[in-house]
């Protein structure tokens, strides 16, 4: 089951990242949202690949990676999960600023170009890299350094950390999640308010029998809101199952599998939310048809 999730999610995120990357490079106007979505898809790919490698290593392939590989995989997984939260929050905030009214003070914060987003993405990498630094010292490969764990089902062994390090790392992770999810919640609420006002405006125009088309910015906002609902569901469901697992003393096999599914849920299904809402497959097919039409036209002229 998980193998299919890894493959499906990775292919979906690769399609989304390549699509938005070409849209970003090919367009004269570099849209910040396209850069953020490309980074989010890349982050999802990192999550799926690192979890997939850990699954392969846990299924008896002890020599699949050495001790350094074990540290690198777990470290990258923790960093990419933090990046997913930060990037999703940035996506929501930027989209809320983009659709804000012209008279609003938030409009002044609208990024002029995609290059203004790069410092934020760099900051996210540095922040999550530093927060996860403790894993490099507290993880070792069971197949290499700890002979008494040869029969363990786990490939990577978490050694006990000092209380000082725990009380530094844990509050930082909680603070990071609280700040970025708070920003995500505030921006989502603001977008819901603006979309409600837009809906009332559309109803008024329909009653007046006037033709009106929804701006692409508002359609994008609807896609981002759906994406955030997906994130919130999988994030808190994962947290709830992790808490239940820590308190449960009975057979946990089914619950562990459910928790693994929830941990991979957002990274796996978020690209398909974008593909469905933004019509990426339709856009891609239209682009291919346009290329074929131009190619046939050239051949006909020759």
């Amino acid at each position: 089951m998980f193998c299919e999730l890894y493959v499906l999610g990775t292919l979906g995120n690769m399609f989304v990242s390549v699509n938005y990357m070409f849209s970003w490079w090919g367009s004269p106007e570099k849209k910040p949202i396209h850069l953020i979505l490309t980074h989010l898809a890349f982050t999802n790919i990192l999550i799926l690949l690192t979890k997939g490698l850990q699954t392969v290593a846990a299924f008896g392939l002890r020599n699949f990676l050495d001790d350094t590989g074990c540290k690198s995989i777990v470290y990258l997984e923790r960093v990419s999960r933090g990046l997913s939260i930060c990037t999703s929050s940035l996506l929501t905030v930027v989209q809320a600023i983009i659709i804000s009214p012209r008279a609003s003070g938030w409009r002044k914060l609208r990024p002029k170009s995609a290059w203004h987003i790069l410092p934020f993405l760099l900051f996210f990498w540095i922040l999550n890299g530093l927060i996860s630094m403790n894993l490099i010292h507290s993880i070792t490969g069971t197949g290499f350094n700890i002979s008494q764990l040869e029969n363990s089902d786990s490939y990577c062994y978490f050694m006990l950390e000092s209380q000082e390090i725990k009380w530094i790392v844990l509050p930082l992770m909680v603070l990071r999640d609280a700040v970025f999810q708070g920003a995500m919640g505030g921006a989502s609420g603001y977008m819901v308010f603006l979309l409600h006002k837009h809906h009332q405006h559309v109803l008024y125009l329909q009653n007046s029998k006037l033709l009106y088309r929804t701006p692409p910015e508002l359609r994008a906002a609807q896609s981002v809101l759906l994406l955030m609902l997906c994130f919130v569901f999988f994030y808190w469901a994962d947290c709830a199952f992790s808490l239940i697992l820590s308190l449960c003393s009975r057979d946990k096999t089914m619950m562990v599998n459910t928790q693994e599914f929830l941990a991979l849920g957002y990274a796996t299904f978020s690209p398909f939310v974008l593909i469905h809402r933004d019509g990426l497959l339709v856009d891609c097919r239209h682009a291919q048809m346009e290329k074929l039409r131009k190619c046939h036209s050239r051949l006909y002229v020759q």
Side-chain angles (χ1 to χ4, degrees), residues 98-113:
I98 287 174
I99 68 170
S100 59
R102 294 181 184 277
S104 171
W106 294 108
R107 193 75 172 190
K108 298 175 183 177
L109 298 176
R110 180 172 180 167
K112 299 295 188 296
S113 72

Side-chain angles (χ1 to χ4, degrees), residues 165-297:
I165 294 178
K166 281 185 179 180
W167 284 109
I168 291 173
V169 174
L170 189 59
L172 284 175
M173 291 177 64
V174 172
L175 181 63
R176 177 201 64 193
D177 289 8
V179 168
F180 283 100
Q181 288 199 55
M184 189 189 301
S188 298
Y190 182 57
M191 281 196 289
V192 169
F193 170 72
L194 293 177
L195 289 172
H196 176 68
K197 287 182 65 177
H198 170 260
H199 179 66
Q200 290 180 324
H201 182 59
V202 170
L203 289 178
Y204 168 76
L205 292 176
Q206 285 177 345
N207 292 332
S208 304
K209 297 182 179 180
L210 295 173
L211 185 63
Y212 181 79
R213 287 188 64 186
T214 303
E217 292 84 1
L218 292 179
R219 292 200 300 271
Q222 292 169 352
S223 298
V224 170
L225 279 175
L226 189 59
L227 203 62
M228 292 312 103
L229 284 175
C230 181
F231 172 85
V232 169
F233 169 76
F234 282 112
Y235 178 89
W236 287 106
D238 182 23
C239 289
F241 265 85
S242 297
L243 180 62
I244 293 170
L245 274 173
S246 64
L247 299 175
C248 183
S249 57
R250 285 185 269 175
D251 183 26
K252 305 178 184 178
T253 306
M254 186 64 185
M255 296 186 69
V256 167
N257 290 336
T258 305
Q259 194 267 334
E260 281 288 315
F261 171 79
L262 292 171
L264 296 171
Y266 180 64
T268 302
F269 296 111
S270 60
F272 298 100
V273 171
L274 292 171
I275 290 170
H276 172 69
R277 288 290 303 179
D278 293 353
L280 296 183
L281 286 174
V282 176
D283 292 344
C284 184
R285 189 163 61 246
H286 285 172
Q288 291 296 327
M289 291 296 291
E290 185 65 21
K291 287 180 181 178
L292 286 172
R293 187 185 66 79
K294 289 181 179 179
C295 183
H296 285 307
S297 299

